[in-house]
Amino acid sequence: ILLEDGRTWHGDATVELILDDYQFSKALPEDNPTEIYPDESQDVVFQLSKLVNGTYQPCQGQRVHLDTQDGTLESRIVHTDEKGEATTSFTINKDKSTASVYAHCVFDDEQGIRHDYGENVEFYVIPYKLEATNAKVAVKNDGSEQRCWFNLYEYQNGKWEECKKEVEINFEAVGVTLSKSSYKYNG
């Protein structure tokens, strides 16, 4: 260290490094990055556990700080529950196409050892939503062809609007045979 009078000073300090026996990780959402609709909330769950006799046991009561610049969190400070999970919900800002939620957990354990963990979850907005015009349709069991109608919406200017683009939609069905498995949507 250079002192004000031009003299230098140096000293020694020692840190003991100890093998970490805790684990802090994202539990939900399962995919990273994950897809999210712009007006729906998504649960975000982080888990803290400790290695005890060769197996990880959940750690209850530890504080987890959550942060985002891209949306709204139900809670910014959450404590881990009996499963070792810290849970909140996240809703993305309407003008964003991507987002991230960051979790930070810092604590001293019973032996005074400092633990510092950070974990990030990434999100992509789903800009389209396909909805059936009728949720249930009565069909005859005589082999005749039946029709189902769908509307495609695109998220624009902070709201859902009927899609005006040409988009190819692929269909899958269970228990019936499709006459066409893809369709060109033209608004």
Side-chain angles (χ1 to χ4, degrees), residues 8-171:
T8 60
W9 176 88
H10 85 274
D12 295 321
T14 302
V15 173
E16 182 182 359
L17 300 179
I18 297 169
L19 191 61
D20 194 358
D21 54 358
Y22 285 84
Q23 181 174 286
F24 183 70
S25 59
K26 175 187 68 65
L28 271 178
E30 292 177 2
D31 297 330
N32 197 13
T34 193
E35 294 181 328
I36 186 173
Y37 283 111
D39 53 358
E40 294 180 8
S41 65
Q42 167 74 52
D43 280 346
V44 180
V45 182
F46 297 90
Q47 186 174 47
L48 178 67
S49 54
K50 181 181 181 180
L51 190 62
V52 179
N53 297 328
T55 60
Y56 279 99
Q57 305 290 326
C59 295
Q60 185 176 356
Q62 292 298 338
R63 181 190 303 230
V64 177
H65 294 264
L66 298 122
D67 191 33
T68 183
Q69 303 298 314
D70 306 316
T72 304
L73 292 166
E74 179 183 52
S75 300
R76 289 190 172 270
I77 297 175
V78 183
H79 288 84
T80 55
D81 62 14
E82 65 279 352
K83 296 183 211 168
E85 295 179 347
T87 304
T88 191
S89 64
F90 169 71
T91 306
I92 194 168
N93 283 345
K94 293 188 181 300
D95 61 341
K96 295 285 186 176
S97 59
T98 62
S100 65
V101 173
Y102 179 70
H104 192 211
C105 183
V106 179
F107 62 93
D108 291 339
D109 67 17
E110 59 277 354
Q111 295 161 348
I113 299 168
R114 172 60 49 111
H115 298 270
D116 188 338
Y117 306 104
E119 190 73 31
N120 208 39
V121 179
E122 301 290 331
F123 293 95
Y124 288 120
V125 164
I126 305 171
Y128 295 99
K129 184 171 12 179
L130 188 65
E131 290 184 352
T133 56
N134 293 57
K136 297 181 181 180
V137 177
V139 295
K140 294 184 173 129
N141 191 14
D142 61 2
S144 62
E145 188 173 298
Q146 306 297 316
R147 291 181 180 234
C148 299
W149 300 98
F150 297 87
N151 286 330
L152 181 64
Y153 298 94
E154 184 176 12
Y155 199 78
Q156 295 181 335
N157 306 317
K159 63 183 180 204
W160 289 106
E161 297 178 359
E162 191 168 351
C163 183
K164 304 293 184 201
K165 298 176 184 172
E166 182 176 299
V167 178
E168 184 170 321
I169 301 172
N170 295 312
F171 293 98

